[in-house]
Amino acid sequence: MFIHTHPYEPFFPEGATKLIVGTLPPPRFTTRELNEKDVDFCYGSSNGLLWPVLDRIFGLNLVFETTEMAAKQRKDFLTSRGIGVCDIVHSCNRQKIDASDLGMQNIKLRDLIGYLLQYPKIDTLIFTGGNSKNGPEYFFRKHLKEYDMKLEVVSNEIPRIHQFILSKQSRENRIIKTVSLTAPSGAANRAIGSLQEYKELKKQNPKFNTIDYRVMQYQKFF
């Protein structure tokens, strides 16, 4: 049984107002067997699409390599935009060593509510995936139950938007919004292809692809 532990501490720049929430990077980040195009930082997998999409939205001229400069580029961007990163899974066990969400067992979650209380300016959580089993929104819903809180629907259109009130642990009724983005992974491309919105955009422009769709969606929330 492989113990898959998150290799990075949460990243909270001073004055952060938004927080990116995923699950775990691929196991090779835990075993420190990165490939030359991986970046040694959150969402640094060479197979991941979050940084390529943000690179296009903001014109960041990011490098995609295992260097300190590549990691610093990403940290500097997040700091400049007041965006933190705190994946919700601390560790899990795996029988098969892969990055599958469904393959996670004996899952230990991070205390996101505890972090939100430490950083009172955060008002938006950006989930890198929806409510499918073992996705970030799925785990966050379970986490909220421990605090006797729950998500309320704001918009059921993709990307789905919810909110919750951080009241019982805080002196004020602090409303925090969540948005569940289409996952920045190749596995989500099939789901994008089945969306009516995507089909219509593709019909209007045959060159429109799943990366373009994510750029269109993500830029509204970053």
Side-chain angles (χ1 to χ4, degrees):
M1 187 72 75
F2 174 67
I3 301 176
H4 188 181
T5 303
H6 204 298
Y8 303 115
E9 291 295 316
F11 180 79
F12 287 99
E14 186 176 350
T17 59
K18 297 178 181 178
L19 193 62
I20 301 172
V21 182
T23 53
L24 280 167
R28 68 179 182 275
F29 282 77
T30 297
T31 58
R32 311 307 298 158
E33 298 172 292
L34 279 65
N35 66 48
E36 62 181 13
K37 292 187 178 181
D38 285 332
V39 177
D40 192 9
F41 185 61
C42 305
Y43 304 97
S45 170
S46 55
N47 302 316
L49 298 172
L50 178 64
W51 286 113
V53 168
L54 293 179
D55 192 31
R56 273 187 54 181
I57 293 172
F58 293 99
L60 301 176
N61 296 315
L62 296 177
V63 294
F64 292 83
E65 58 191 25
T66 311
T67 62
E68 288 186 13
M69 183 183 75
K72 185 177 184 300
Q73 281 184 322
R74 288 151 177 79
K75 292 175 184 177
D76 288 348
F77 164 74
L78 293 171
T79 299
S80 72
R81 305 290 299 189
I83 302 171
V85 182
C86 184
D87 289 341
I88 193 166
V89 178
H90 169 71
S91 65
C92 69
N93 294 345
R94 293 185 183 275
Q95 290 185 327
K96 182 180 179 182
I97 303 179
D98 61 19
S100 163
D101 283 343
L102 292 177
M104 293 189 281
Q105 303 175 31
N106 300 323
I107 299 152
K108 295 181 180 178
L109 302 180
R110 284 173 167 167
D111 183 11
L112 252 69
I113 296 299
Y115 283 120
L116 291 175
L117 292 171
Q118 289 181 49
Y119 298 92
K121 292 186 179 180
I122 294 174
D123 58 19
T124 305
L125 304 183
I126 301 174
F127 296 134
T128 58
N131 194 32
S132 57
K133 186 176 180 182
N134 290 1
E137 182 192 323
Y138 173 87
F139 283 133
F140 189 69
R141 286 177 179 274
K142 293 182 67 174
H143 181 52
L144 282 180
K145 286 182 180 179
E146 298 173 6
Y147 285 90
D148 195 27
M149 292 184 282
K150 64 179 181 178
L151 293 181
E152 298 176 351
V153 176
V154 175
S155 171
N156 241 334
E157 294 183 6
I158 295 174
R160 292 183 175 87
I161 299 172
H162 296 82
Q163 68 180 24
F164 66 98
I165 299 175
L166 192 66
S167 57
K168 295 184 179 180
Q169 286 73 31
S170 177
R171 293 180 180 178
E172 56 187 32
N173 287 343
R174 180 173 155 204
I175 297 175
I176 297 179
K177 181 177 74 174
T178 74
V179 55
S180 299
L181 298 178
T182 301
S185 65
N189 287 342
R190 182 178 295 180
I192 294 175
S194 67
L195 295 174
Q196 187 60 37
E197 181 184 30
Y198 178 79
K199 291 177 181 177
E200 290 175 0
L201 291 167
K202 185 77 171 176
K203 187 175 181 180
Q204 294 171 18
N205 177 11
K207 293 183 179 180
F208 189 81
N209 59 35
T210 55
I211 299 292
D212 297 325
Y213 182 81
R214 288 184 178 88
V215 168
M216 181 186 74
Q217 183 186 102
Y218 287 24
Q219 63 187 357
K220 298 175 184 177
F221 302 99
F222 280 94

